[in-house]
Amino acid sequence: MYTASQLLDKINKYIADIQFTRTPKGLYEPVEYTLSLGGKRIRPVLMLMAYNLYREDVASIYEPAAAIEVYHNHTLLHDDLMDRSDMRRGKPTVHKVWNDNTAVLSGDAMLILAFRYMTACPAEHLKEVMDLFSLTMLEICEGQQLDMEFESRGDVTEDEYIEMIRLKTAVLLAGSLKIGAILAGATAEDAENLYKFGMQIGVAFQLQDDLLDVYGDPEVFGKKIGGDILCNKKTYMLIKALDRADAKQREELNRWLDAETCQSAEKIKAVTELYNQLDIRSVCENKMRGYYTLAMESLAAVGVAEERKKELKNLVKLLMYREM
């Protein structure tokens, strides 16, 4: 079996070697630029790892694995435009380097390229894979829409939030794992358990991001702490704080949420102190660990030798506790 690091090297090289020979270059240069920014490549690596649980010829699915990464970067390109983000992975975003229209069109091209790469899978699996891939993409759009709607709502519930992050974040991890299993010829039961594993670990990852935005080390986390607090983002942390606060605490929290002008550091400090009073860190950690436990149970149900699942377990542990 391959290690996660070896699979990362392989898919990085494959993606770096992709040549866009069609014209006009103005359409494809932003695509090349976006893919050149790198990233953890978690999704294609998970697909390759799921495949590698059953088969060794991982090179045979590099193209479908690349499809997942191209699609993921398509979503990031459009997210950056929607959020008016200036930087991505330490470099200017596409709409800043070029313009808004180019970001829309090149992002659309990436979506189509992702479809084309995914159709390279064997004919006997084509319909099942494409049905799952297209459903996953649709669900991600649904999650993004929910996230946008939550911005103007003050009554978002915990269940609604979990469903939103399941759709927006977790389904692509789940889909990547299940497609890898399908392409390897795994049983339907194993493929479904890997899907559940990806879904549960994906929710845990997003809860971890919510936690780290407040309590993480900015040097390790890779961005400034408190960004979610400053923009009043409806995170698990905020939803639980509003749910657990007494009248006085809720009044203070709403005062900061409604403040049109304030010092950033002051707001972050005040809201974090309220989280501390309400023990929100422990609440979020417990929820996150609950999903992690469920994920490990789903992985344990996959019918391959434990030794073959060891690398997948180690990767997830590394990702879960990298900044904790």
Side-chain angles (χ1 to χ4, degrees), residues 12 37 45 54 103 107 133 138 146 162 171 187 192 200 210 212 234 257 272 279-281 296 317 321:
N12 271 336
L37 298 180
V45 168
Y54 306 91
F133 190 38
L138 187 60
L146 287 174
I162 295 296
V171 293
T187 66
E192 186 59 28
Q200 291 151 348
D210 288 0
L212 292 174
K234 303 301 191 307
L257 292 174
T272 301
D279 200 23
I280 297 301
R281 178 171 188 163
M296 291 302 105
K317 287 179 182 177
Y321 297 106

Side-chain angles (χ1 to χ4, degrees), residues 62-124:
Y62 284 167
E63 202 162 357
I68 286 287
E69 186 64 13
V70 171
Y71 170 72
H72 175 59
N73 278 271
H74 145 80
T75 67
L76 298 181
L77 193 157
H78 279 184
D79 281 352
D80 288 340
L81 178 59
M82 294 168 70
D83 296 340
R84 309 310 303 173
S85 300
D86 292 343
M87 302 292 287
R88 166 71 64 180
R89 295 167 182 156
K91 296 292 181 70
T93 51
V94 167
H95 71 92
K96 297 298 290 185
V97 176
W98 285 273
N99 54 58
D100 291 4
N101 289 344
T102 297
V104 171
L105 194 58
S106 293
D108 289 347
M110 293 182 79
L111 178 61
I112 298 164
L113 287 166
F115 261 109
R116 295 191 68 180
Y117 295 152
M118 191 61 78
T119 59
C121 66
E124 63 267 28

Side-chain angles (χ1 to χ4, degrees), residues 111-233:
L111 178 61
I112 298 164
L113 287 166
F115 261 109
R116 295 191 68 180
Y117 295 152
M118 191 61 78
T119 59
C121 66
E124 63 267 28
H125 300 303
L126 183 60
K127 184 179 188 309
E128 186 177 8
V129 166
M130 294 308 296
D131 284 350
L132 176 56
F133 190 38
S134 58
L135 175 61
T136 299
M137 290 188 285
L138 187 60
E139 288 181 322
I140 290 169
C141 290
E142 292 167 353
Q144 178 67 17
Q145 180 64 34
L146 287 174
D147 195 21
M148 292 190 300
E149 290 177 3
F150 289 175
E151 292 176 7
S152 59
R153 284 181 52 192
D155 60 347
V156 179
T157 67
E158 176 182 341
D159 288 346
E160 286 178 314
Y161 180 75
I162 295 296
E163 175 63 4
M164 184 274 289
I165 62 176
R166 184 189 74 82
L167 292 167
K168 185 176 178 181
T169 301
V171 293
L172 190 55
L173 297 174
S176 299
L177 285 155
K178 187 171 183 178
I179 289 171
I182 291 169
L183 293 176
T187 66
E189 184 179 2
D190 273 7
E192 186 59 28
N193 279 321
L194 283 165
Y195 186 82
K196 290 178 182 177
F197 165 73
M199 192 74 72
Q200 291 151 348
I201 209 66
V203 173
F205 284 163
Q206 185 57 56
L207 291 170
Q208 181 198 50
D209 275 353
D210 288 0
L211 185 69
L212 292 174
D213 189 79
V214 180
Y215 293 108
D217 180 346
E219 293 299 320
V220 180
F221 190 34
K223 60 183 180 181
K224 293 180 180 179
I225 298 302
D228 290 344
I229 291 174
L230 291 178
C231 67
N232 296 340
K233 188 171 179 61

Side-chain angles (χ1 to χ4, degrees), residues 216-269:
D217 180 346
E219 293 299 320
V220 180
F221 190 34
K223 60 183 180 181
K224 293 180 180 179
I225 298 302
D228 290 344
I229 291 174
L230 291 178
C231 67
N232 296 340
K233 188 171 179 61
K234 303 301 191 307
T235 65
Y236 185 79
M237 310 282 283
L238 178 57
I239 290 166
K240 293 306 292 184
L242 289 167
D243 183 51
R244 292 166 66 90
D246 61 26
K248 183 178 178 181
Q249 291 167 327
R250 188 176 294 107
E251 181 182 358
E252 184 179 356
L253 188 51
N254 282 326
R255 181 170 64 83
W256 285 107
L257 292 174
D258 295 337
E260 295 184 2
T261 58
C262 62
Q263 293 293 321
S264 296
E266 185 182 7
K267 180 175 181 177
I268 292 170
K269 181 180 178 181

